[in-house]
């Protein structure tokens, strides 16, 4: 028994069918291309993601890449609900933590954005009708880099995801389960064939593996899967 495409779809919520997923930084010609009906192949909100990336780099004192924390702070300018957790802990990991940050499952009604929160749209020149999709695309870019296709440095935003993120924000479905499953098996193979598996630095989306274990191995306690 091993993790399958159906598992990633049912447990992880990833689509099996859809467009082919690829990461590419489109050139100006690609961004301006339109079909026979005059509809751009790449939604124009993709430009806002690149503009935001450029603005963050300008303010990052010579850094050549954008960290995820900087990306989130740029797009979200409201108060943070959860405090940053401490990396150091004295808790016995065989014991269940006293509290966690699991969501309740209840999605509250969306609050109206404050003037400070809408500042990002003014900075980028985003029209009112494009705000929600641009905001969603910025979130999806973060999600793809962190939770779907983590690479060597999971703290960075990769501009190569902007094209897919902007199209997803417009309702286009991509077959994410297939490349994610390939990433999982490649990572597990790297770990199993490493001279020292315990110190292997291979990055893969382990949370899908944990979810699969929790679903098919009922005897595994929740805190054991997490730790």
């Amino acid at each position: 028994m091993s993790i399958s495409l159906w598992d990633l779809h049912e447990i992880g919520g990833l689509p099996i069918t859809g467009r082919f997923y690829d990461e590419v930084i489109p050139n100006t010609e690609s961004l301006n291309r339109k079909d026979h009906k005059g509809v751009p192949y790449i939604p124009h909100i993709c430009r806002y993601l690149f503009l935001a990336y450029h603005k963050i780099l300008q303010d990052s004192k010579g850094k050549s890449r954008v960290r995820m924390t900087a990306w989130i702070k740029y797009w979200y300018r409201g108060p943070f609900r959860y405090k940053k957790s401490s990396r150091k802990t004295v808790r016995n990991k065989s014991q269940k933590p006293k509290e966690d940050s699991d969501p309740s499952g209840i999605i509250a009604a969306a609050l109206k954005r404050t003037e400070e929160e809408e500042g990002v749209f003014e900075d980028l020149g985003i029209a009112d009708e494009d705000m929600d999709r641009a905001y969603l695309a910025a979130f999806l870019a973060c999600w793809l880099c962190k939770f779907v296709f983590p690479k060597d440095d999971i703290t960075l935003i990769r501009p190569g995801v902007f094209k897919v993120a902007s199209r997803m924000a417009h309702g286009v479905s991509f077959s994410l389960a297939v490349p994610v499953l390939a990433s999982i098996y490649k990572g597990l193979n790297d770990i199993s064939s490493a001279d020292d598996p315990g110190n292997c630095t291979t990055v893969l989306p382990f949370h899908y593996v944990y979810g699969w274990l929790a679903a098919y191995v009922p005897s595994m306690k929740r805190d054991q899967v997490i730790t």
Side-chain angles (χ1 to χ4, degrees):
M1 184 173 67
S2 60
I3 189 169
S4 66
L5 288 175
W6 187 249
D7 293 325
L8 289 176
H9 175 66
E10 286 294 297
I11 301 172
L14 298 178
I16 297 176
T17 60
R19 302 279 183 121
F20 175 76
Y21 177 87
D22 65 329
E23 290 189 20
V24 61
I25 299 178
N27 54 29
T28 304
E29 182 182 355
S30 298
L31 286 171
N32 293 328
R33 284 185 60 195
K34 298 180 180 179
D35 61 17
H36 65 284
K37 295 182 179 180
V39 179
Y41 284 105
I42 302 176
H44 64 277
I45 62 172
C46 186
R47 299 170 182 267
Y48 300 131
L49 301 184
F50 281 105
L51 180 57
Y53 192 89
H54 175 68
K55 284 180 173 290
I56 296 171
L57 279 181
Q58 282 186 319
D59 297 334
S60 60
K61 299 179 180 180
K63 293 181 180 179
S64 59
R65 295 181 292 182
V66 171
R67 295 206 169 274
M68 202 163 293
T69 51
W71 182 261
I72 294 172
K73 287 180 180 178
Y74 181 82
W75 282 95
Y76 178 69
R77 305 185 182 184
F80 283 87
R81 184 179 296 273
Y82 302 109
K83 294 181 180 180
K84 187 176 181 181
S85 60
S86 174
R87 294 183 179 180
K88 206 171 179 184
T89 179
V90 294
R91 178 178 67 85
N92 184 343
K93 291 190 176 182
S94 64
Q95 298 175 350
K96 187 176 180 179
K98 294 180 179 179
E99 57 182 17
D100 54 43
S101 297
D102 283 354
S104 64
I106 300 174
I107 301 177
L111 300 176
K112 185 178 180 180
R113 296 190 186 98
T114 64
E115 289 186 10
E116 185 177 2
E117 290 174 311
E118 290 190 347
V120 62
F121 305 117
E122 295 180 7
D123 290 347
L124 299 174
I126 300 177
D128 292 348
E129 61 271 18
D130 293 327
M131 286 183 180
D132 289 340
R133 281 198 175 120
Y135 207 58
L136 176 58
F139 167 78
L140 290 171
C142 190
W143 176 68
L144 288 169
C145 292
K146 182 75 172 181
F147 297 103
V148 183
F149 299 107
K151 294 294 179 70
D152 295 336
D153 192 340
I154 60 174
T155 68
L156 299 176
I157 288 289
R158 303 190 303 273
V161 306
F162 292 168
K163 174 184 173 181
V164 171
S166 60
R167 299 191 73 183
M168 288 177 66
H170 276 262
V172 178
S173 179
F174 285 84
S175 178
L176 300 179
V178 176
V180 166
L181 185 63
S183 174
I184 289 174
Y185 277 115
K186 179 185 181 302
L188 293 176
N189 180 67
D190 290 342
I191 294 172
S192 63
S193 59
D195 294 333
D196 185 1
N199 291 319
C200 182
T201 58
T202 295
V203 176
L204 67 143
F206 275 110
H207 47 281
Y208 294 118
V209 180
Y210 296 155
W212 175 79
L213 286 172
Y216 287 96
V217 188
S219 60
M220 293 194 74
K221 295 180 180 179
R222 181 177 173 280
D223 57 309
Q224 289 178 324
V225 173
I226 293 176
T227 56

